[in-house]
Amino acid sequence: MAEPQQSSSITAAFPAPPPFYKHFTETNLARFAEFKADLNIDLGDTKDSQNPSSSLLDLPAELRYHQPPPPPPNGQYRSFGEDRSLAAPLIPLPEETTVLYTSPPTPASLVQLTRSILLNFLELVHILATNPSATEYGPKWDDLRDLFRNAHQAVNEYRPHQAREALILMMEAQVERGKREKEGIGELRTRVDEMLAGLGEGLDEKEPEEYEVNGTGLGQGRGRGEDEEWESEMEDEKRMWEVLRDDLGV
């Protein structure tokens, strides 16, 4: 008996909202975000939802509804009481239905259809509230049917344009991210050039040391009796490299 009741609720003209909508609260959204961060996986990915991991199965029941459902396994789904296929082309409007938008649809036309649906619904409610036994609601019911069909068709026709616009936004974001990285590299290069120039000026100020050659033909790095001065220079260079590491983050 449960299956016929479920089928009738799905195919009703104005079906009730699914019961799991009550789980979409601010608290559950925050908890779901914490689970995603702790598991370090994208629980909203439909690819992962086809083969849920053990960590996903450990989620509380009220949080599993936040995961998008997987695509239909056989490519078949049900919409407005009719069986449809993902591979089938877009079905045109019935001949008796008047097209109320220009093709291709625009966001403005979708907004206009939505407002028309709300207005006609209010008019239908007014007719039924003032005179429930009147037959005037028939034409208004037909108007609502045509508006819903046009809105559904317009949304389906607009999906390719929506996908293209989303791809454009993603590419623009990647370009902007590349520009910021390029600017950061340029700023870092400028800082390195300035530091190297400062090092070069410090070396130019020093006088060249006189090298002595010992019996083996190898040069002595410093003159005799200059150990203290050499150690002081080494300490200065060590502090200089520490400053470089701190500034460059290496």
Side-chain angles (χ1 to χ4, degrees):
M1 296 299 293
E3 294 182 356
Q5 291 179 359
Q6 183 179 4
S7 176
S8 62
S9 64
I10 294 176
T11 59
F14 295 98
F20 54 80
Y21 82 93
K22 300 178 182 179
H23 298 300
F24 287 85
T25 61
E26 295 294 337
T27 303
N28 287 342
L29 288 174
R31 292 176 58 196
F32 185 70
E34 293 178 358
F35 272 105
K36 290 174 61 177
D38 294 339
L39 298 176
N40 196 21
I41 60 174
D42 188 5
L43 297 179
D45 192 355
T46 55
K47 296 180 179 179
D48 294 338
S49 63
Q50 295 178 359
N51 297 311
S53 60
S54 59
S55 57
L56 178 60
L57 297 177
D58 293 337
L59 288 175
E62 64 273 11
L63 297 184
R64 297 181 187 177
Y65 294 105
H66 292 261
Q67 178 192 6
N74 55 357
Q76 302 289 332
Y77 67 99
R78 193 171 182 83
S79 176
F80 292 98
E82 298 179 0
D83 294 329
R84 299 181 182 273
S85 175
L86 295 176
L90 183 63
I91 302 175
L93 288 171
E95 295 181 357
E96 67 273 11
T97 303
T98 305
V99 180
L100 303 177
Y101 61 91
T102 57
S103 186
T106 61
S109 61
L110 294 175
V111 172
Q112 184 178 1
L113 287 172
T114 304
R115 291 176 177 174
S116 299
I117 290 174
L118 292 175
L119 177 61
N120 281 267
F121 178 74
L122 291 176
E123 292 176 353
L124 177 62
V125 172
H126 176 72
I127 293 174
L128 296 177
T130 54
N131 189 4
S133 61
T135 58
E136 299 176 358
Y137 72 88
K140 188 58 60 178
W141 181 272
D142 295 337
D143 292 342
L144 272 174
R145 180 198 60 192
D146 293 342
L147 285 169
F148 274 111
R149 285 180 176 178
N150 276 268
H152 186 250
Q153 189 75 7
V155 168
N156 288 334
E157 290 186 9
Y158 188 72
R159 292 191 186 280
H161 306 281
Q162 181 185 13
R164 184 177 65 250
E165 293 296 329
L167 183 59
I168 290 174
L169 291 177
M170 292 174 60
M171 295 179 66
E172 289 178 350
Q174 291 180 358
V175 171
E176 290 297 328
R177 184 167 60 251
K179 289 182 179 179
R180 291 193 298 268
E181 293 177 355
K182 182 179 179 181
E183 293 176 356
I185 293 174
E187 293 177 357
L188 182 59
R189 178 183 176 182
T190 302
R191 293 169 57 188
V192 172
D193 291 340
E194 293 176 353
M195 293 179 182
L196 293 178
L199 291 176
E201 292 177 357
L203 294 176
D204 293 339
E205 294 176 356
K206 297 181 179 180
E207 296 181 357
E209 298 179 351
E210 296 180 356
Y211 291 89
E212 296 182 358
V213 180
N214 56 16
T216 60
L218 299 177
Q220 301 289 340
R222 58 188 181 276
R224 296 176 180 177
E226 298 178 350
D227 291 342
E228 295 181 357
E229 182 180 356
W230 180 80
E231 292 178 358
S232 176
E233 292 177 357
M234 291 296 295
E235 291 294 332
D236 293 339
E237 292 180 2
K238 185 184 297 184
R239 286 193 294 269
M240 189 184 314
W241 283 112
E242 291 177 356
V243 171
L244 284 174
R245 283 194 297 269
D246 294 339
D247 290 342
L248 300 180
V250 295

